[in-house]
Amino acid sequence: MWVKNIKWLVLLLSLTSCISYKYIDIEFYDSPQKSIVVPGENLLVVENLHLRNTDTPIRELDWALDSVASNEATDALISLIKTSPCYSGVNLSKHIYYRNDSLRVVLPLSWQVIDSLSKVYNSKMVLSLEYLKVRPHYDTYPLWRGDFKEYYGFIQVSSYTYWRIYNVETKKIDLGQLLTDTLLWEKNDWIEVTPGNQLPGIFEACAFAGADVGEQFAQLIAPQWQKDSRAIYVPNANKEMNRAYQLAIHGNWLDAAAVWQRLSLSTSKELAAQAAFNMALANEMLGKFQLSIEWLDYAKSKNPRLKFLKEYRDILQHRIENNKPEK
């Protein structure tokens, strides 16, 4: 019995020793799709609330839902800006501004208003939620499953949002951004499906829609740190590859790359391909995405069957797209 167990243990160890790669946890962030340079250390976020006729319960509810969504949108935006590496050291303030616009066109705030807000908050840039409209819709109906009746229900919230960024120093609008979206929740149950039970309540759904709007705008101007993992080759039999791996997991990518670059010239095509693959990873960590692609091509030329080549190339192409400069 013990002899059999030892045989299985030897077999297991021999199989695991053949695995020449590991996974390494990484953190990164991509460039913002819309680059904003904040003059000074203060940034003001303005939540515009459009006053309108609320003489009926429906109109009052309509205004309340828009207000809830707007508040969630600006709070979500501020929360994400605070955690974005692009805005490190920037102080954030929020101001609610009530306006009486009656036109269908969302007009910019006057520079007189912008200047007055700038003085109060000592901010040379104003990020403004100009307009946010949410439209919730709910429905439910029975479905027959043979002899059994089931209920289907949904609630959806469409949103129409416009943002502007005012530069007080240049007296220019640095960005105007329209965002539209629809969130949907749906549920099947044996009893009638209603908001606040199986589905979010009306106010809750509109709050979610508002937060989603703020997060979408934050994705454009305030990228976040992202956590992911990457494959890295660490053949057990090669001390140099193991040393480079130890350097990499401690964030010393330059010294690790020096080792891998030398090993990429090895007469062993397998070792050269693995080292070149790791060089692609090192260059990604250093923000040199096109060079990463070139190292992957070199790895493929040494060993076309090397694991992860296609998957990693797709990842790099995606990051190249995300970091393209604005036109």
Side-chain angles (χ1 to χ4, degrees):
M1 180 65 178
W2 284 104
V3 174
K4 288 184 179 180
N5 287 339
I6 291 173
K7 286 182 178 179
W8 279 111
L9 180 60
V10 171
L11 177 60
L12 179 62
L13 290 173
S14 65
L15 288 174
T16 55
S17 65
C18 293
I19 299 176
S20 58
Y21 60 86
K22 297 181 180 180
Y23 290 96
I24 184 171
D25 293 328
I26 65 168
E27 284 189 308
F28 66 91
Y29 72 93
D30 292 324
S31 300
Q33 297 179 41
K34 306 289 184 181
S35 296
I36 304 298
V37 178
V38 180
E41 298 179 349
N42 300 317
L43 177 62
L44 174 61
V45 176
V46 174
E47 176 186 334
N48 289 261
L49 294 181
H50 294 254
L51 298 173
R52 53 186 184 263
N53 190 343
T54 57
D55 59 354
T56 67
I58 294 298
R59 288 175 177 172
E60 186 175 5
L61 175 63
D62 185 60
W63 189 84
L65 293 175
D66 290 344
S67 301
V68 166
S70 297
N71 185 63
E72 291 294 330
T74 49
D75 283 353
L77 176 65
I78 289 172
S79 177
L80 290 173
I81 287 178
K82 285 181 178 179
T83 57
S84 173
C86 294
Y87 294 85
S88 177
V90 173
N91 302 311
L92 286 150
S93 301
K94 176 178 172 178
H95 179 87
I96 297 177
Y97 182 72
Y98 294 92
R99 49 197 293 185
N100 291 290
D101 298 36
S102 58
L103 299 175
R104 289 183 176 274
V105 178
V106 184
L107 296 175
L109 293 170
S110 70
W111 285 108
Q112 183 179 2
V113 170
I114 294 296
D115 285 338
S116 65
L117 291 173
S118 171
K119 291 177 182 178
V120 171
Y121 293 95
N122 191 27
S123 174
K124 300 300 181 183
M125 179 166 281
V126 176
L127 198 162
S128 177
L129 173 58
E130 302 280 277
Y131 180 81
L132 173 54
K133 180 63 186 171
V134 288
R135 296 186 183 278
H137 175 64
Y138 154 75
D139 199 3
T140 185
Y141 48 84
L143 298 171
W144 286 96
R145 308 290 189 187
D147 294 332
F148 298 94
K149 184 167 70 172
E150 183 181 72
Y151 286 90
Y152 167 79
F154 72 89
I155 183 171
Q156 68 177 32
V157 181
S158 59
S159 60
Y160 179 97
T161 315
Y162 199 79
W163 302 84
R164 285 192 178 101
I165 297 180
Y166 299 87
N167 192 316
V168 181
E169 288 189 334
T170 62
K171 290 293 186 289
K172 290 183 178 179
I173 297 174
D174 286 350
L175 178 64
Q177 185 70 46
L178 171 67
L179 295 174
T180 60
D181 200 7
T182 300
L183 298 186
L184 173 67
W185 295 263
E186 52 187 349
K187 185 71 176 180
N188 290 80
D189 205 343
W190 298 114
I191 61 174
E192 189 173 0
V193 179
T194 58
N197 291 314
Q198 302 94 328
L199 299 171
I202 301 294
F203 274 89
E204 184 183 7
C206 289
F208 273 122
D212 179 65
V213 163
E215 291 170 4
Q216 285 187 50
F217 190 58
Q219 289 173 9
L220 296 177
I221 67 169
Q224 304 294 307
W225 283 106
Q226 300 180 51
K227 294 184 178 181
D228 207 345
S229 63
R230 297 283 188 269
I232 184 170
Y233 280 95
V234 195
N236 293 326
N238 191 292
K239 292 183 179 179
E240 286 292 280
M241 289 287 275
N242 272 277
R243 183 169 72 86
Y245 170 71
Q246 292 300 320
L247 291 169
I249 63 175
H250 288 95
N252 194 344
W253 290 99
L254 283 174
D255 288 346
V259 177
W260 290 325
Q261 186 169 17
R262 185 173 66 253
L263 294 176
S264 69
L265 302 175
S266 171
T267 54
S268 166
K269 291 187 176 181
E270 183 68 18
L271 179 60
Q274 292 174 353
F277 184 96
N278 290 355
M279 278 296 294
L281 175 58
N283 278 281
E284 183 197 359
M285 294 299 97
L286 297 171
K288 301 176 180 178
F289 307 117
Q290 196 57 51
L291 195 55
S292 293
I293 294 288
E294 293 175 13
W295 275 107
L296 273 190
D297 290 341
Y298 179 77
K300 185 176 182 180
S301 71
K302 291 294 182 178
N303 180 9
R305 296 181 179 179
L306 187 69
K307 194 176 177 66
F308 306 118
L309 282 174
K310 183 181 183 305
E311 297 93 327
Y312 191 34
R313 189 183 187 91
D314 291 341
I315 290 172
L316 291 173
Q317 291 289 3
H318 182 68
R319 292 208 65 197
I320 287 173
E321 287 297 317
N322 285 347
N323 287 276
K324 278 185 176 179
E326 290 183 67
K327 296 181 179 179

